[in-house]
Amino acid sequence: MDNTLFSPDTKAQQTHDNTLMSDALHILQHTFGYTEFRGQQAAIIEALVKGDDALVLMPTGGGKSLCYQIPALLRHGCGVVISPLIALMQDQVDALRQMGVRASFLNSTLDSTATEYIEQSLCAGKLDLLYIAPERLNQAHTLALLQGATLALFAIDEAHCVSQWGHDFRSDYLKLNLLHERFPHVPRIALTATADEDTRNEIAQRLDLEGAHRFISDFDRPNIRYRISLKHNAKAQLLRFLQDEHPRDAGIIYCLSRKKTEKIAHWLQTSGFDALPYHAGLTNDIRAAHQARFLRDENVVIVATIAFGMGIDKPDVRFVVHLDMPKSVESYYQETGRAGRDGAPADAWMIYGLEDVIKLKQMMEGSQGSDAHKRAEQYRLNAMLGLCEITSCRRQALLHYFGDTLAQPCGNCDTCLEPVSTWDGTEASRMALSACHRTGQRFGVGHLIDVLRGREGDKVLQNDHHLLAVYGLGKDLDNNQWRSVFRQLVARGYLSVDTPRFGALRLEEKCRSVLRGEKTIALRRDIKPLTDGKRQTTAPLPEGLDITLWESLRDRRRRFAEDQGVPPYVIFHDSTLQAMCAAMPQSMTEFATLSGVGARKLDKYGMGFLQVIREHLANS
Ligand code: ADP
Ligand code: ZN
């Protein structure tokens, strides 16, 4: 940089900023126990510390919280965090207190004595961070309270809740632009993991953050292994996945309907899993109880509709399953992003079939909203379907969808690990399209396959379809193979599903060239599940990890957590326990170097874990 550009004043400012950033690093290391900032954390913190506003887009697990927690500690006054989920505030505050940060929350679960105490602490400058739900913030009493206090910043978490098109819309978020009017000198930071451009702009506009610095992070989550396969026998496939790969892990299973979440949860219970349903139709009490079990215990499986997940920052979710296809790549990415926030290996595992597409389309047809909105939904669904059917790296496709690029195939998705083989499906595709055409584009997949395979069913005979030229032409392929052909033709936009007609298939303009024989089509060869003897299993633990020590450390952690009344991950994350296994520290000094061990936790828990390690070494 050209030094002549600096006046003495800016130089002084520069020195001041440098000091602040070295203070920031000190807090990161001393309080949080991490060695260095990740990605754009340092830049975001710097902007806020200087008093600027920021709009932050970071994938789930990217490390958003530190971006406002550290500036709140560095600036004068208290940082106010607006967070939509009351149920999670307790855990967020507990985790901060474990590190010696003076954090509290204000919400409707507190009685008047507790509320008063916290309000007084705020006014007396005894709080570093205060979590508040948006509806509470908008009350006159709260605003007056804040006006009387010294504030370091406002952090608006889950900022996509201002978006009326998103499924997390909260009307109270719309009023948050008053912060700018009422507190013009307090810097604001809005954070979200929702990636698409429209939502991003909507947030900036609605929250009056058009002038804010924008920080858009790399959206890759390299520790998540993406796998998408065909649904054959959903239960058997799921059971096998869970038993082989995650017999004792916490995870989320997403289903489309409420009823299905209950059925699957119940069935998993009978198979020995600690599974609980979650959907908007359950009473508040039950939902809260199930969510609390999931957060607090280490191996609860939540079977949920999309109603579950926002704001869940449990770091050790080892898998996210989709038993039904989500309606967009955005939803898929956000939901799968809830796995592996601690950076340790995690699975995103999905099974899907053509029925999923038909069901989703029916739901979309029945939804309210303008035609333009429906078209946008349709476009999103097709992109999701495209992701399911691709034969190249899934991660490259995902990142490409969000405007990022990944130069090389990732090596950690199903298509990279087990490359898909293709076959020349030109002839089969022509037959399929022509069966659809000759039968008047009025029938669904089942009937078209009957015609192609020459089955003399009632419907075939009633409609005289046994007289068609295509009748019986496709005997060489079996039912499943034909389903695969039709599914891929829909996915690639040669056919579309006519939902008002119960899933009848219609030809699209694009198929002309295929029917005329001008185009060849390579189709994906579907892998038959449950027949292969050798399967790849992902052990969620690093190779070479000493399981006995690992279990003893977990056990110690569980006891600390019980004593403190907090979830185990609040004591230490899995990744910190894994670091203990790898490094086997023998002194407090060595223990202090582990990632995730700050000064306060070293004091409280260091000896306890060192003891476990010592006993382990003595016994082995
Ligand atoms: P987000 O809110 O973006 O989903 P979190 O703030 O919950 O993510 O952070 C995800 C995980 O990463 C947490 O376990 C957090 O402690 C950890 N983390 C954040 N920043 C760092 C860092 N600089 N070094 C190491 N771990 C970090
Ligand atoms: Zn890949």
Side-chain angles (χ1 to χ4, degrees):
M1 197 175 289
D2 187 354
N3 268 327
T4 56
L5 291 177
F6 284 100
S7 69
D9 268 4
T10 50
K11 265 192 186 160
Q13 181 64 41
Q14 189 78 11
T15 320
H16 176 68
D17 291 348
N18 287 344
T19 321
L20 280 175
M21 284 320 286
S22 72
D23 290 349
L25 189 62
H26 177 76
I27 294 178
L28 177 78
Q29 294 170 342
H30 186 261
T31 306
F32 293 89
Y34 298 133
T35 22
E36 54 191 9
F37 286 116
R38 256 196 213 158
Q40 305 194 70
Q41 282 175 332
I44 298 166
I45 291 170
E46 189 171 1
L48 279 177
V49 169
K50 278 195 204 154
D52 291 345
D53 296 333
L55 176 56
V56 171
L57 273 101
M58 225 185 244
T60 314
K64 286 188 280 301
S65 341
L66 284 187
C67 299
Y68 54 83
Q69 288 166 348
I70 292 183
L73 291 169
L74 278 171
R75 286 176 62 88
H76 284 300
C78 177
V80 176
V81 185
I82 296 130
S83 159
L85 292 161
I86 290 178
L88 301 178
M89 289 183 184
Q90 182 74 57
D91 287 343
Q92 286 167 329
V93 163
D94 282 346
L96 285 162
R97 288 191 183 159
Q98 286 289 328
M99 296 182 280
V101 176
R102 299 173 305 172
S104 278
F105 60 83
L106 277 178
N107 66 32
S108 49
T109 63
L110 299 174
D111 61 23
S112 58
T113 325
T115 307
E116 218 166 278
Y117 176 75
I118 292 164
E119 292 184 357
Q120 278 167 8
S121 312
L122 173 70
C123 294
K126 290 182 182 159
L127 280 183
D128 301 315
L129 279 159
L130 179 64
Y131 286 74
I132 304 185
E135 37 282 356
R136 180 144 193 139
L137 183 95
N138 293 331
Q139 290 167 7
H141 171 78
T142 316
L143 288 169
L145 174 77
L146 295 179
Q147 222 118 30
T150 311
L151 301 183
L153 55 86
F154 285 107
I156 303 164
D157 206 2
E158 311 288 354
H160 62 277
C161 290
V162 292
S163 166
Q164 272 161 320
W165 290 121
H167 50 69
D168 296 328
F169 175 63
R170 298 271 293 246
S171 59
D172 284 287
Y173 263 72
L174 291 179
K175 299 193 196 122
L176 291 178
N177 56 1
L178 66 77
L179 294 178
H180 186 41
E181 293 150 24
R182 293 272 196 123
F183 307 88
H185 302 299
V186 180
R188 295 169 302 146
I189 170 172
L191 310 103
T192 178
T194 302
D196 70 289
E197 179 86 32
D198 293 348
T199 315
R200 200 181 296 172
N201 293 333
E202 201 178 350
I203 294 172
Q205 188 231 322
R206 289 189 194 271
L207 293 178
D208 252 327
L209 280 170
E210 273 136 336
H213 296 272
R214 286 197 187 188
F215 297 95
I216 299 164
S217 297
D218 178 357
F219 263 75
D220 191 13
R221 297 286 310 282
N223 61 315
I224 298 181
R225 173 172 293 182
Y226 299 100
R227 281 183 286 173
I228 301 178
S229 43
L230 269 192
K231 202 183 281 184
H232 290 264
N233 177 344
K235 280 184 175 173
Q237 287 171 284
L238 174 65
L239 193 62
R240 183 142 186 190
F241 168 72
L242 293 177
Q243 284 175 339
D244 285 359
E245 305 186 29
H246 298 283
R248 295 186 52 212
D249 290 329
I252 308 173
I253 298 177
Y254 282 109
C255 308
L256 210 51
S257 76
R258 297 174 178 186
K259 213 160 100 201
K260 185 162 171 185
T261 65
E262 300 204 12
K263 265 180 21 205
I264 297 284
H266 182 74
W267 168 75
L268 282 175
Q269 284 161 10
T270 61
S271 310
F273 287 90
D274 197 351
L276 297 169
Y278 189 104
H279 58 74
L282 296 170
T283 65
N284 286 345
D285 286 353
I286 295 183
R287 265 186 298 160
H290 289 185
Q291 176 166 302
R293 281 279 327 280
F294 178 67
L295 292 174
R296 257 145 227 280
D297 292 351
E298 285 167 296
N299 45 16
V300 171
V301 176
I302 282 277
V303 189
T305 59
I306 53 166
F308 183 78
M310 186 186 51
I312 295 288
D313 52 5
K314 185 176 169 62
D316 53 353
V317 176
R318 294 272 68 89
F319 63 89
V320 169
V321 162
H322 282 95
L323 286 185
D324 297 304
M325 192 170 92
K327 61 180 188 199
S328 67
V329 179
E330 284 89 348
S331 312
Y332 174 75
Y333 206 58
Q334 199 160 38
E335 284 149 19
T336 54
R338 291 173 184 141
R341 293 163 82 110
D342 53 9
D347 278 304
W349 187 91
M350 172 173 149
I351 48 177
Y352 84 105
L354 190 55
E355 324 77 69
D356 290 17
V357 183
I358 295 173
K359 229 186 285 167
L360 281 171
K361 284 199 153 197
Q362 272 161 350
M363 283 169 70
M364 284 179 187
E365 290 290 337
S367 81
Q368 279 127 16
S370 62
D371 282 353
H373 182 58
K374 283 185 182 167
R375 265 198 306 279
E377 281 197 317
Q378 186 58 53
Y379 169 81
R380 293 200 170 114
L381 175 61
N382 287 344
M384 183 64 221
L385 196 53
L387 176 70
C388 294
E389 294 290 344
I390 53 162
T391 49
S392 54
C393 173
R394 305 244 193 235
R395 193 181 313 269
Q396 279 181 321
L398 272 169
L399 292 176
H400 178 73
Y401 185 81
F402 294 118
D404 268 1
T405 42
L406 184 69
Q408 295 295 322
C410 75
N412 194 27
C413 71
D414 53 357
T415 48
C416 279
L417 292 165
E418 294 171 84
V420 188
S421 66
T422 56
W423 58 288
D424 182 358
T426 312
E427 200 45 47
S429 298
R430 286 176 66 183
M431 280 187 216
L433 294 172
S434 130
C436 176
H437 178 57
R438 300 282 166 207
T439 54
Q441 309 184 51
R442 291 184 295 123
F443 297 89
V445 185
H447 182 73
L448 296 177
I449 295 178
D450 283 350
V451 172
L452 284 162
R453 301 204 65 236
R455 224 186 120 235
E456 289 185 19
D458 288 344
K459 214 159 147 193
V460 172
L461 299 174
Q462 273 163 20
N463 289 286
D464 282 343
H465 288 164
H466 56 297
L467 305 177
L468 297 174
V470 289
Y471 180 74
L473 262 191
K475 285 203 168 97
D476 288 349
L477 300 186
D478 68 20
N479 246 311
N480 281 336
Q481 287 166 323
W482 275 119
R483 289 193 79 81
S484 167
V485 172
F486 278 107
R487 196 191 71 242
Q488 296 186 60
L489 290 173
V490 171
R492 296 183 195 186
Y494 293 107
L495 288 173
S496 62
V497 183
D498 190 354
T499 35
R501 281 184 189 258
F502 307 103
L505 294 181
R506 262 194 329 229
L507 299 177
E508 286 295 315
E509 187 56 33
K510 201 177 160 187
C511 68
R512 277 178 196 275
S513 54
V514 182
L515 283 170
R516 283 203 219 105
E518 294 162 5
K519 190 165 184 177
T520 57
I521 294 190
L523 292 177
R524 191 186 162 104
R525 200 181 294 282
D526 290 338
I527 303 163
K528 281 218 184 70
L530 308 181
T531 49
D532 46 346
K534 252 198 316 178
R535 266 163 318 103
Q536 184 128 19
T537 59
T538 22
L541 294 171
E543 230 169 279
L545 182 118
D546 188 324
I547 298 290
T548 332
L549 176 57
W550 166 250
E551 289 297 343
S552 320
L553 291 170
R554 283 202 349 153
D555 200 49
R556 189 72 194 89
R557 176 173 69 176
R558 207 171 298 124
R559 279 184 286 136
F560 273 132
E562 274 162 21
D563 288 350
Q564 305 271 320
V566 295
Y569 64 78
V570 166
I571 306 294
F572 283 128
H573 284 178
D574 284 359
S575 48
T576 304
L577 296 200
Q578 285 167 15
M580 289 181 209
C581 290
M584 298 229 203
Q586 318 227 355
S587 68
M588 289 289 268
T589 326
E590 283 173 32
F591 197 84
T593 62
L594 302 176
S595 177
V597 180
R600 179 70 175 265
K601 289 190 177 177
L602 174 69
D603 253 16
K604 277 176 100 168
Y605 309 120
M607 289 311 281
F609 285 99
L610 282 174
Q611 181 71 27
V612 174
I613 295 168
R614 248 175 247 143
E615 278 164 19
H616 176 78
L617 289 172
N619 294 333
S620 54

